Each structure stands twice: as structure tokens, then as C-alpha cells.
Amino acid sequence: MEYAAIHHQPFSADAYSYDGRTVHIKIRTKKGDADQIRLVWGDPYEYSGGRWSAAEQPMRKTAATQNHDYWFAEVSPPFRRLQYAFIVSDQHENIFFGASGVCPVNKKTLETIHYYFKLPFVHEADTFQAPEWAKSTVWYQIFPERFANGREDLSPEAALPWGSKDPDVNDFFGGDLQGIIDKLDYLEELGVNGIYLTPIFSSPSNHKYDTLDYYSIDPHFGDRELFRTLVSRLHERGMKIMLDAVFNHIGSASPQWQDVVKHGARSRYKDWFHIHSFPVKEDNYDRFAFTPDMPKLNTANPEVQRYLFEIALYWIREFDIDGWRLDVANEVDHAFWKAFRQAVTAEKPDLYILGEIWHSSEPWLRGDEFHAVMNYPFTEPMIAYFADREISASSMAYRLNAHLMNGMRQANEVMFNLLDSHDTERLLTRCGNDEKTARALLAFMFAQTGAPCIYYGTEIGLDGGRDPLCRKCMVWEKEKQNREMLSFMKRLITLRKKENALLTYGSLEWHLLDDQNDCISFSRVFNGRQLIFYFNQGNLAWDVRLQDFNMERSRKVYDAWTDQILQHDAAIAVQPGEFLILSADAPV
């Protein structure tokens, strides 16, 4: 057994409170190394006959990567105090793994409390908690300037005719809030129940990430009352709305920055920014990337903190928004985000807090900052396999497993899963304009834990390369839309919402990762129900036989996509590029 590969970190995603009572515990070993792991656990104060009273239970191998196996168990200590260790076994030996590392299994190690990991008390207040509604949300991202023009009188003077050309960086086409209001029937019929808007506050650009005034709606989008109407109409339909907060930086035309430019070291706002010397020049202050018109805010400054917190609270109090998406969240200090969370959740406890982070995000997802991040590291392996054809099926599965194992389950349940956005190539373009591949990729992503997001236009086959081409005008003429794609997306969203509990809480079990034939099968299981997925990315048809999966004949099995009941001896041909979803109910 390779001892160096055994890993467990207490007070992390390896050992955490799931719900204030139940504790989730994970341990990692070298792939194929351990045959069995037993969790030894109990209350550190509970003794019987002079000996510590410990329980043992087997752990389940829950995931694998190219190099490691992950084992899982959950326990509910009666008095919420816990100490625990592991007995790891292979064909040749048993070892004790605890706070002192690898030790022999003997009376001393088993009965000496200093050899055990500790969770002194399982506090509900320390438990990662997220809004329950976020688990059942299908998001729809809107870039307001390009979604719909509802009021020509609001459009900029230089606005181009809607969809008259592919957009350049500085083009305007006149999208506005009225346009979104006008399309609410369309969005409700599509089935989405959460709307994420990129910034809508006053700004000179079409993207609005260079904010001038956080308290005013950009006049080309509308005004506060129009926004109030939008929020109320969404809430009447049972839909949520999330706004985009750009708190890492501000627009260079903002009054605060212009005061610094004018008055230099005498400006009352000089400490609001990271300025290295005066007078201000293009190369002597920190900014977003290398963009001079986006100077970086000093979020450690108490005045800046109060200013930004009041902005966040204003839109909650005045308009009852449901979430904040936080731009460039990884470049803002953790102390600010901890205080931000306390402020906004005190005002609205079920507010959803989403950070824009493109990499591993564990430090922000410990329960005291964000509820979720834009889950690019999770969905990128899917894209690399289905769209780019750069990795194998097994490599994709291993990367997905590793990502899930690095997080707490309740964080994974509300993660913001997306395949494209205003910052990436559009999905159809990334798939080489292969609609069949795009559909399979969407179906695969919708089958995963977390809240899926659709970028506007994906549902009608809108394509586009990187910014600015990913920000094309939405196509509203039905004859120019891909109506088959629209029907597909409606069915996919309906299925996701119908099976949301299973897809949120169900365990993921891989059945087949055939790299040679490019065939994948996995299932999601919860409360006796099962969804089984088959994806054929190979060149030959795949005959799926239900009897090969040893499914009890007492189960009712049907095609989850068509609702057709299937016989247990049925064989179904999954054609190249296609997928199949079977549903199996509990035995009757």
C-alpha cells in the first residue's frame, strides 16, 4: 500500500457538516490500492467500562480519477461531537490512518484519542448553507444590449438596426429592459426560472462593466420604475432575477475617479484606489487587466466598503432582487467578501451570491463568502471531450470526479453550471456548428449536479466566436430561428425540472467509459429511482440492451425523453452523436 497517497484534511471538503447534524467524511487513496476502508468514529467523551466507545462502518468508494480513489461515509453523531479515524485494508495489510498519520492497527492506536481526527462540535452556524430555491433553478443569461429592443426612444443615437451586422466592440443595437419585459412569455414558455442580467447600471459602454453610477439604470436601458416592473413581473411568474455587481473596479468616467484625476493627492477619493504615485498616469495605478478605463477599487478601505455595501443593499431593499453575481470576484480581498455576505444575507437571508471565478474556488466556498461560482472548471472537461475532441471519455469523467470531490456536496448542489457566456465562444461555434454535438453536450451538462445556465440565443441556434461575436443580437424572427433546437431545449428544461431532486441529490455512478468506441454510460440514483444516461460520441451505432444492466423486472423502465414504456428485453440503437435517457422507478 502506498502510504504517501493517502490523504484526508479535517475542517475542509474532506470533513464537514452537511446540514448541521450530518457529517460528510472523505478520504483519498492511490487508485486500486485499498480494498476496503472502515471509518472508526464516536463521541470523544463517551466511554464504557473504561474504554472509549467507538463505532465502525464501511466507507463507499464513491469516485475515481486517473490516479486516485475517493471513499465516502456520512455519520450523525448524537451529541454533535466527533472524533474519527480510518482503517485502510488491502490484501496484505491493515493500517490505521488518523491525526498522527499511518500507524499500525493495535490496541494503543484504537484507544488513544490523540491518534484521531476531531470535529469538536458540529455547529449549524458554521455549516455551508445556500438558498434552497437555487437548487431548482434553470438560469438564463441575458446581455441586455443585445436581447431585445422594446423602446426605440431609449436607444443611443448611434444605435444600428437590430441584427444588421455582426457586432464590433463598440457597437450599440438598442436592447433595453422593456425588451426583456416584452419577452417574458417567451422565457416562461422556454421553461427557465432564473434570469441573470449582465450589468444594467449607468455606463458609457455597451457591456456596462465600467460603471459610472451604481444607483441608476443606464438611460439606454430604462429607469428604476421600468426595472421595478421587470422584477415584479418576473416574481409574479415565480422567476428569480440576479444582477451583476462590478465591485472590483469602477469606470474611469465615474465622479470618484475623475476627482482623483483632477485633484491628485488632494482628492478625498485618492485612497479609494490603488495609486502608486501622483499625478495619475496610465501606468501608475492598478486596474482590471490592462484596461485604463477600469481603475481597481481599494476594497480594504472602510469608505469603499460602506459605499459598495450600501449599493448592494439598495437594490435588495428597493427592488427585491434575488441574487448578486460578483464580477472579477477572485481579485477582491476575502475580508471584503466575508463582510459583504453578512451584510446582504442579514437583509435577505435567501439571497444567492455568485462569484465570477474561472479556477478552483475552494477558499471562497467555505460557507462565509459565496454560495457558488461560475463553474467553468467543471464544465470545461465536458467541452474538451464533446466539442473539442481533445480528451478521452475517461479523462473527462476523472476530471469531473476530482472537481466534485474537491467541494462540499451542498456547494455542488447550487453551483452555476454553464457552457458559454458573454466571455466565451458560443456553444454552437465551439462545437464546430455541429448541432448534434451541441445537443449532446447540453444534455450531458443538464444531467449533472448544480444549476444549469443557458446563454441567450443558445436555444435557437445562435452562433458566435469570442467577444464581441458572442454578443450578437438575439434573433426573434421565427423563420430565422432553429425551431428544432428550441423544441429540444424546452424538452430538456422540462426533464431537468421534473427530475430536479434526483439530479440534485442523486449519487453519480459511472457504468461505462469506453475510450475506444467513445461511448459513455452513467446513472443518477436517489430514493430508489434511477436515471441512466447513454452518450454515443463514436462512429458506430450502440445497441443498448436493458438486460445487460441486471435491472429487476419489477421496475418500470421507460425512455425519459419520450415517456415511452420499454420492455426489459428491449434493445435500443443509440446512433453516433445521439444520447438515450432511461428512467427506472423503484420496484413495484
Side-chain angles (χ1 to χ4, degrees):
M1 192 181 304
E2 189 165 327
Y3 300 158
I6 301 175
H7 177 79
H8 172 82
Q9 179 65 51
F11 308 107
S12 75
D14 288 345
Y16 60 92
S17 165
Y18 177 67
D19 56 12
R21 287 285 180 180
T22 306
V23 176
H24 286 183
I25 297 176
K26 291 179 283 191
I27 185 172
R28 191 189 75 188
T29 59
K30 180 182 177 181
K31 189 171 184 178
D33 215 16
D35 296 327
Q36 182 189 60
I37 299 182
R38 287 171 289 158
L39 180 70
V40 183
W41 67 279
D43 188 306
Y45 297 105
E46 187 172 358
Y47 282 77
S48 177
R51 298 178 59 183
W52 177 55
S53 298
E56 281 193 24
Q57 71 183 68
M59 301 188 73
R60 178 171 62 91
K61 185 157 60 175
T62 191
T65 66
Q66 185 173 356
N67 298 313
H68 298 105
D69 290 328
Y70 291 84
W71 304 75
F72 173 84
E74 64 178 21
V75 297
S76 298
F79 299 100
R80 292 193 282 174
R81 301 181 296 258
L82 179 66
Q83 69 181 24
Y84 63 95
F86 309 91
I87 297 177
V88 185
S89 306
D90 66 8
Q91 295 179 350
H92 306 289
E93 63 177 327
N94 298 324
I95 62 101
F96 179 98
F97 184 78
S100 298
V102 174
C103 301
V105 179
N106 56 36
K107 185 175 185 295
K108 179 181 179 181
T109 55
L110 290 173
E111 296 184 7
T112 304
I113 63 171
H114 303 298
Y115 285 94
Y116 286 81
F117 296 110
K118 304 288 195 298
L119 281 179
F121 196 88
V122 182
H123 288 279
E124 187 171 353
D126 292 333
T127 300
F128 181 107
Q129 300 178 59
E132 190 67 24
W133 61 263
K135 300 176 184 179
S136 56
T137 301
V138 177
W139 290 100
Y140 188 88
Q141 181 190 352
I142 293 176
F143 192 85
E145 218 284 319
R146 305 291 159 76
F147 185 65
N149 187 335
R151 284 181 51 181
E152 294 284 351
D153 62 306
L154 296 177
S155 299
E157 289 185 10
L160 300 168
W162 191 260
S164 57
K165 64 186 285 288
D166 285 345
D168 286 323
V169 173
N170 297 315
D171 285 342
F172 287 87
F173 291 90
D176 52 43
L177 297 182
Q178 185 63 54
I180 300 173
I181 294 170
D182 293 344
K183 302 301 182 182
L184 290 183
D185 286 345
Y186 168 86
L187 294 172
E188 187 173 26
E189 185 180 345
L190 179 61
V192 298
N193 53 359
I195 305 301
Y196 154 43
L197 301 182
T198 55
I200 60 174
F201 309 125
S202 294
S203 157
S205 67
N206 54 44
H207 55 72
K208 312 301 177 191
Y209 282 97
D210 49 350
T211 311
L212 300 185
D213 179 5
Y214 293 93
Y215 285 99
S216 65
I217 303 292
D218 189 275
H220 298 307
F221 287 167
D223 56 24
R224 293 184 182 89
E225 291 312 307
L226 195 58
F227 179 68
R228 193 183 305 278
T229 299
L230 172 60
V231 175
S232 64
R233 298 273 178 87
L234 285 168
H235 286 170
E236 288 169 5
R237 297 167 187 257
M239 301 167 75
K240 305 292 187 179
I241 182 168
M242 178 167 62
L243 295 185
D244 207 326
V246 190
F247 291 167
N248 174 69
H249 52 269
I250 198 170
S252 61
S254 64
Q256 295 90 338
W257 182 251
Q258 286 302 307
D259 192 84
V260 173
V261 171
K262 181 178 180 180
H263 299 291
R266 294 180 291 106
S267 171
R268 59 158 296 200
Y269 297 108
K270 66 181 178 65
D271 294 326
W272 280 42
F273 304 94
H274 299 270
I275 302 169
H276 308 307
S277 62
F278 294 97
V280 172
K281 299 178 182 178
E282 188 170 314
D283 60 352
N284 69 350
Y285 62 92
D286 295 339
R287 75 290 303 271
F288 168 66
F290 297 104
T291 310
D293 57 353
M294 296 182 181
K296 182 177 176 64
L297 287 163
N298 177 14
T299 49
N301 182 309
E303 285 189 12
V304 174
Q305 291 178 7
R306 286 192 294 271
Y307 172 69
L308 297 178
F309 292 170
E310 283 303 314
I311 289 164
L313 292 171
Y314 171 78
W315 293 95
I316 298 170
R317 290 167 177 162
E318 293 295 320
F319 302 95
D320 195 26
I321 67 168
D322 303 293
W324 278 114
R325 183 264 191 187
L326 309 171
D327 189 57
V328 202
N330 57 340
E331 295 186 24
V332 176
D333 59 279
H334 287 282
F336 177 86
W337 289 134
K338 293 178 195 297
F340 174 87
R341 179 185 174 115
Q342 290 184 345
V344 297
T345 56
E347 183 66 32
K348 186 170 185 174
D350 68 341
L351 186 88
Y352 183 63
I353 307 172
L354 172 69
E356 185 208 12
I357 300 180
W358 291 58
H359 52 77
S360 178
S361 306
E362 189 273 335
W364 290 269
L365 296 172
R366 293 174 178 169
D368 56 354
E369 295 186 41
F370 307 156
H371 297 120
V373 296
M374 301 183 80
N375 211 7
Y376 290 108
F378 183 58
T379 54
E380 187 57 33
M382 306 176 199
I383 298 170
Y385 172 68
F386 283 93
D388 299 342
R389 311 300 295 160
E390 290 180 347
I391 61 175
S392 65
S394 59
S395 294
M396 175 191 67
Y398 294 155
R399 287 170 61 179
L400 298 182
N401 285 347
H403 187 80
L404 291 171
M405 291 299 103
N406 284 338
M408 290 184 279
R409 181 179 291 180
Q410 63 264 47
N412 291 334
E413 290 167 357
V414 296
M415 205 60 72
F416 191 89
N417 295 339
L418 69 169
L419 296 171
D420 54 358
S421 71
H422 64 291
D423 287 324
T424 72
E425 285 182 293
R426 282 189 167 272
L427 175 62
L428 190 59
T429 297
R430 187 79 180 260
C431 292
N433 289 311
D434 185 331
E435 183 183 326
K436 188 180 290 187
T437 298
R439 290 186 185 189
L441 184 44
L442 282 161
F444 188 90
M445 189 265 278
F446 267 64
Q448 309 307 315
T449 297
C453 178
I454 306 161
Y455 186 36
Y456 80 95
T458 293
E459 75 277 12
I460 51 93
L462 199 60
D463 63 1
R466 293 186 178 277
D467 176 19
L469 296 178
C470 57
R471 304 173 181 184
K472 290 182 180 180
C473 292
M474 177 67 173
V475 175
W476 291 109
E477 300 90 344
K478 291 184 177 180
E479 66 275 10
K480 295 181 181 180
Q481 295 178 341
N482 185 331
R483 303 298 289 183
E484 291 184 1
M485 187 67 171
L486 181 59
S487 296
F488 167 83
M489 287 305 307
K490 289 180 179 179
R491 180 70 187 104
L492 184 61
I493 294 169
T494 297
L495 180 62
R496 170 73 197 205
K497 292 165 75 173
K498 175 185 176 183
E499 301 290 359
N500 186 70
L502 190 153
L503 295 173
T504 298
Y505 303 111
S507 60
L508 172 64
E509 299 179 9
W510 297 96
H511 299 302
L512 180 68
L513 294 169
D514 185 342
D515 291 342
Q516 182 174 352
N517 295 302
D518 261 342
C519 293
I520 301 171
S521 177
F522 63 93
S523 64
R524 303 295 304 279
V525 182
F526 180 68
N527 278 354
R529 293 201 59 251
Q530 185 177 26
L531 284 178
I532 311 172
F533 297 83
Y534 308 85
F535 289 85
N536 182 1
Q537 290 297 294
N539 299 316
L540 301 174
W542 179 14
D543 287 331
V544 173
R545 301 180 185 277
L546 270 61
Q547 60 190 14
D548 293 342
F549 288 86
N550 299 318
M551 199 174 296
E552 304 99 319
R553 288 190 171 272
S554 57
R555 282 178 176 259
K556 183 176 71 174
V557 181
Y558 55 94
D559 185 327
W561 193 260
T562 64
D563 292 326
Q564 178 185 359
I565 297 178
L566 302 172
Q567 301 300 317
H568 279 261
D569 57 356
I572 305 170
V574 184
Q575 298 298 326
E578 300 288 351
F579 64 89
L580 170 69
I581 307 174
L582 300 181
S583 177
D585 289 332
V588 296

